[in-house]
Amino acid sequence: MFTPSYFRVSLIAAALLAGAAQAETISVAVASNFTAPMQKIAAEFAKDTGHKAELSFGATGKFYAQINNGAPFGVLLAADDTTPAKIANEGKGVADSRFTYAIGKLVLWSKQEGYVDAQGDVLKTGKFQHVAIANPKLAPYGLAAEQTLTKLNVLDSIKPKFVQGENIGQTYQFAATGNAELGFVALSQVMEDGKIKSGSAWVVPADMHEPIRQDAIILNNAKDNVAAKALMDYLKGDKARAIITLYGYAF
């Protein structure tokens, strides 16, 4: 004879099995600048939904080329808004899934304490050998840096001192290792819990360059993937946005 407790245990087990059966995995291509916040978001996403986001980090331009060559990514979190728009227009992604998940902030950073002043006037002194910058033809943060230098009327004098990174991740490494005294990097790379982690920095005012809108899109590989839709919804939620804000992004 089965007891009531037996049925309760059976129902719980059945519910757990059903949840496990519905949980899915989604492969996510993530722009380098969004590495730290996305790692935290993915962990919370797994705990809260049961779905798993498998993350790959790199340059948006390279991800675009890989997607064109059939890479099995399900979601792209780009460093710009033009690449997801292009993917949607070319029929490689779900157009109505596209949205801006964050607006990036540019920062001039040095690993040395006190090296960068709060107004960025160090750029006008010329007392440095190298400044790291992401390739402005490929990386939105590099383009924003170039626009900032143009607005400050120092682009021509500083250009010979450029150490150019392929993406913002490599650009940060140039500055973090001291190969360049200064680096134009993403605020998210040097900020944690709302504070600059180390060194010295000038957060570039938003009106110095075009907005760095970072868009997400579901790719055709995952148009029917439950985890892909769940992740997009999660990125719009309060918990994810709180994490994103702590790394210096806006909305």
Side-chain angles (χ1 to χ4, degrees):
M1 182 176 178
F2 297 126
T3 64
S5 61
Y6 171 86
F7 286 111
R8 282 197 297 272
V9 170
S10 297
L11 286 170
I12 292 169
L16 289 171
L17 285 170
Q22 292 170 2
E24 292 193 28
T25 298
I26 184 67
S27 177
V28 188
V30 185
S32 298
N33 71 84
F34 204 63
T35 297
M38 193 56 201
Q39 286 173 331
K40 287 193 174 183
I41 289 168
E44 294 301 314
F45 174 67
K47 284 195 290 186
D48 291 342
T49 69
H51 299 303
K52 183 180 178 183
E54 292 185 342
L55 310 178
S56 299
F57 302 102
T60 297
K62 280 201 165 183
F63 283 138
Y64 174 74
Q66 290 169 0
I67 290 163
N68 277 341
N69 288 324
F73 296 120
V75 169
L76 171 66
L77 301 185
D80 60 14
D81 57 356
T82 54
T83 301
K86 191 190 299 185
I87 286 170
N89 291 337
E90 292 171 350
K92 299 184 180 77
V94 181
D96 62 5
S97 71
R98 184 165 63 94
F99 78 101
T100 301
Y101 66 90
I103 296 175
K105 291 186 185 177
L106 181 71
V107 64
L108 179 68
W109 180 76
S110 171
K111 67 180 290 190
Q112 299 179 46
E113 297 284 346
Y115 196 88
V116 179
D117 59 284
Q119 287 74 43
D121 288 339
V122 64
L123 291 167
K124 298 174 183 176
T125 69
K127 294 179 180 178
F128 52 89
Q129 295 300 310
H130 301 104
V131 57
I133 180 174
N135 185 340
K137 293 180 180 177
L138 300 175
Y141 284 86
L143 178 60
E146 197 171 71
Q147 291 169 346
T148 297
L149 293 170
T150 299
K151 200 152 191 176
L152 291 171
N153 295 315
V154 295
L155 178 62
D156 290 340
S157 62
I158 290 179
K159 211 165 191 177
K161 300 181 179 184
F162 280 0
V163 178
Q164 192 164 281
E166 181 182 275
N167 56 49
I168 202 66
Q170 188 180 59
T171 305
Y172 170 75
Q173 287 302 317
F174 287 147
T177 56
N179 288 318
E181 302 98 306
L182 299 170
F184 277 105
V185 299
L187 181 57
S188 59
Q189 293 172 300
V190 298
M191 176 176 270
E192 191 169 18
D193 296 330
K195 297 180 291 187
I196 300 293
K197 291 183 285 188
S198 63
S200 52
W202 170 52
V203 180
V204 178
D207 62 0
M208 299 291 287
H209 56 80
E210 294 174 5
I212 306 172
R213 297 187 181 280
Q214 302 195 194
D215 278 12
I217 189 169
I218 295 175
L219 303 170
N220 284 349
N221 284 336
K223 62 183 179 182
D224 298 319
N225 186 297
V226 174
K229 175 65 166 58
L231 179 62
M232 299 296 259
D233 289 341
Y234 198 82
L235 285 166
K236 298 172 186 175
D238 291 342
K239 185 179 282 191
R241 288 198 159 200
I243 293 170
I244 293 168
T245 301
L246 285 175
Y247 282 91
Y249 293 94
F251 298 102

